[in-house]
Structure formats: structure tokens, C-alpha cells
Amino acid sequence: MAGPRGGSRGTLIRRDGEDAMASRTNPTLRQRRVGVELRRMREQAGIGGSQLARLLGVTPAHITQLESGKTTVSVERLYTIAGMCLCTNEPLLEALADIIADGGKGGWWEEYRGELPIDFLEVAELEGHAKEIVAFNMAYIPGPLQTRSYARALFAEGLVPLRGQEIDLRVSFRLRRQREIRAVGTPYLALVYEAALHGHYGGREVLIEQLASLIESSEDPGISIRIVPFEAVAFPVPSEDLIHLVGVVPELDTVQVDASYGVHILDQPARLARYRVTLKRIESVALSEDDSRGFIKSTMKEVERKHG
């Protein structure tokens, strides 16, 4: 049966006024994002959790569970809460209703659940639902553009020692991400700092193979590779690698920050605005696609000449 605005209506059982649906022990990233947006909606309206609970006829604990993504929310309840919070952002509500109607179904990355750290799965989940991906990398080639040998070298030389089987699994996952992004045709913009073109991870032959692969990838119509040369001036240099995952509506954008101590997923409006500006400024000083392709070719020839 169709729900509000065309969303699918889930089975709704009520107990003491609450949505008595199964609780989730490990909600997915998108399920948690629905909860985050519900909380943000409530806070922007200046309504406390206890007050919203009283209006809905539920317990404050139930509101906490909804806003953490640990309890499901129906499309009907989404629109009820939106009405109480005077939210009239129809595109956002429709996008949230679509996530709810989807039921939190996972993608190909679920095959790796329990075998890889959750950070790996959440990166793939974000990419799998992004309308566009913009990445900035300082020291190494972006994951979705890495060759098998280059990826293996990165994992083998990382801060945390890994066994051969663990490295194989991570490399397999990284290459799968690459195939899925290309298969879906998600527009991918890679802003790569020149330093990343000189990292001899795995040695000279691995680097040459990686640079050649980068040149080939730059010909893909869905992939834009733009180099930020050392000579580029007047642009903010982040101390970490960034990925901007563009959502179906701006409110559902996400920024992933990769640091040596782990991955951070950011969705706060102020931080999103800051990183959008940062990436736009980096893009403004990056070489064009054609010039970047020529730059990579020159770098590859230089590596071949120096170590030939």
C-alpha cells in the first residue's frame, strides 16, 4: 500500500502509541542518518525530546531510539513528526521516506560484514548511494583508482601489521568498490595532490603501473582526474584526505575524513558547508583534465628515466 508522497508503507503495529517494530542492534549508516535528521528537525523547531514524546504519546526513551536509528520509523510517523516540527522541506522528507521505504537493504558490501572493519562497509555504503563523489588525496592515489599491486603495497606497509589473508580481503574489497562505482556510473572527481604521484609504494614498477592505470582511468567518461601541482597557490591544504559524497538532496550530503587514526563521517551542516568550500577552492587551482593527463604522463616518464 502506498504511503504519503508515494513512499511504501511498512507494517505498523502500535503498542501504547509507539511504533512497535523490531529494534536494530546495528543500524546501517543510512538508517542512522534518518535518525540524525529527525533529531535535527526536532532541535531546529526548538522542541525537546520529552516534549515530542508527549505530543506523540510515546516514551522519551522511544524518541532516543528513533533518533539513534535503533528503532524503525514508518513513513507515516516521519511525516507526523515533520508536521509537529513545522518542517516543510519536501525534497528532504521525500528522500528520507525513500530510505525508510527501502527498508535499509544493504548492498554488495554486506558480503564482507563480520570480516572487515565497519569503516570499510560504511565507505562503500556511502558511495553506493551517492549522486556524485568528489575526493581529495594528499599522499596516495584514491582507493577507487588503485591497481591491485598498489593497493596491496599500501595495506602491507600500513601502520597496523596485517597477515596475508587480511591483505587479500582488503585488496579484494577495494577493487570491488572500484568496479561498482564504474558499473553504476557514479560521477567521480579525483583531486590528487602531486605528492601522491611520487609515492613508491611497492617499488618503482608498481608506481609505473599505477600511473599508467591512472592515465587509462582518466579516459573514462565518468571519471575526472585533476592534479593539484606543488606550484598551486592560495588554496587550503587539508591535513587529511577527504571524500565528499553528494546526496540526492544537499541536506543528505556526507563528508568522509580519512586520518591515520581512523575514518570520520561528518554530516553537520556547518562542517559540510566548510568542506564544500574547501573542495571547491582546491578544484579551482587544479589542472584541467587534459593538462592533468599530460602531467601524469610526464611524471611516469620521469620515474622511468630516473630508475631505468
Side-chain angles (χ1 to χ4, degrees):
M1 184 182 299
R5 312 304 191 271
S8 300
R9 179 179 299 171
T11 302
L12 183 63
I13 304 172
R14 298 189 186 280
R15 181 183 297 123
D16 296 331
E18 298 185 4
D19 297 333
M21 296 185 180
S23 296
R24 308 181 182 112
T25 303
N26 297 304
T28 67
L29 195 64
R30 295 217 308 159
Q31 289 167 340
R32 297 202 305 271
R33 186 61 179 270
V34 171
V36 166
E37 295 303 323
L38 286 173
R39 186 189 71 242
R40 190 167 288 144
M41 197 183 300
R42 173 180 60 77
E43 291 175 344
Q44 288 177 346
I47 298 175
S50 297
Q51 182 181 357
L52 181 60
R54 186 170 61 255
L55 291 172
L56 289 172
V58 301
T59 64
H62 186 72
I63 297 300
T64 299
Q65 290 290 96
L66 286 178
E67 294 182 351
S68 67
K70 292 183 178 180
T71 295
T72 58
V73 59
S74 66
V75 174
E76 289 89 343
R77 179 56 57 98
L78 165 70
Y79 278 95
T80 297
I81 293 174
M84 291 177 173
C85 296
L86 303 179
C87 176
T88 58
N89 189 337
E90 193 64 26
L92 172 61
L93 293 175
E94 289 182 354
L96 294 175
D98 286 342
I99 296 175
I100 293 169
D102 183 57
K105 291 185 296 185
W108 62 267
W109 51 88
E110 292 297 333
E111 300 171 21
Y112 294 82
R113 188 170 294 277
E115 297 185 22
L116 286 174
I118 192 65
D119 286 350
F120 284 73
L121 277 61
E122 292 188 340
V123 168
E125 183 181 351
L126 286 169
E127 291 174 344
H129 295 286
K131 188 172 69 173
E132 179 184 353
I133 302 170
V134 180
F136 173 70
N137 285 73
M138 285 286 293
Y140 57 85
I141 305 303
L145 300 176
Q146 293 173 8
T147 63
R148 180 181 297 275
S149 298
Y150 186 91
R152 174 174 289 279
L154 283 179
F155 286 124
E157 299 169 12
L159 294 175
V160 180
L162 298 173
R163 296 176 302 174
Q165 186 175 359
E166 293 175 311
I167 294 174
D168 289 342
L169 188 61
R170 282 162 169 73
V171 171
S172 171
F173 187 85
R174 182 154 292 180
L175 296 180
R176 181 74 181 273
R177 280 176 55 204
Q178 181 179 129
R179 293 196 300 271
E180 293 293 335
I181 289 174
R182 298 186 188 213
V184 175
T186 306
Y188 186 88
L189 168 60
L191 300 168
V192 183
Y193 195 51
E194 182 181 345
L197 303 181
H198 298 277
H200 282 59
Y201 303 107
R204 168 182 174 272
E205 295 301 327
V206 170
L207 177 58
I208 291 173
E209 178 191 38
Q210 176 62 75
L211 294 176
S213 176
L214 206 58
I215 294 168
E216 182 179 352
S217 294
S218 72
E219 302 285 356
D220 189 310
I223 295 176
S224 174
I225 299 174
R226 299 182 58 189
I227 304 301
V228 182
F230 291 139
E231 289 77 11
V233 295
F235 82 97
V237 182
S239 59
E240 62 278 302
D241 295 325
L242 307 174
I243 305 178
H244 178 202
L245 300 119
V246 181
V248 292
V249 293
E251 292 84 355
L252 294 184
D253 280 9
T254 306
V255 167
Q256 173 194 324
V257 179
D258 285 342
S260 59
Y261 47 83
V263 172
H264 294 272
I265 305 297
L266 307 177
D267 55 38
Q268 301 90 338
R271 290 193 174 186
L272 289 176
R274 170 194 165 193
Y275 281 115
R276 286 191 194 103
V277 171
T278 296
L279 288 167
K280 282 296 183 184
R281 288 180 60 188
I282 294 173
E283 186 178 351
S284 71
V285 299
L287 300 176
S288 68
E289 290 185 27
D290 287 340
D291 288 345
S292 294
R293 191 176 299 113
F295 194 96
I296 299 169
K297 289 179 180 178
S298 296
T299 301
M300 187 172 70
K301 289 179 181 179
E302 180 183 350
V303 173
E304 291 173 329
R305 179 178 57 80
K306 283 185 177 180
H307 302 275

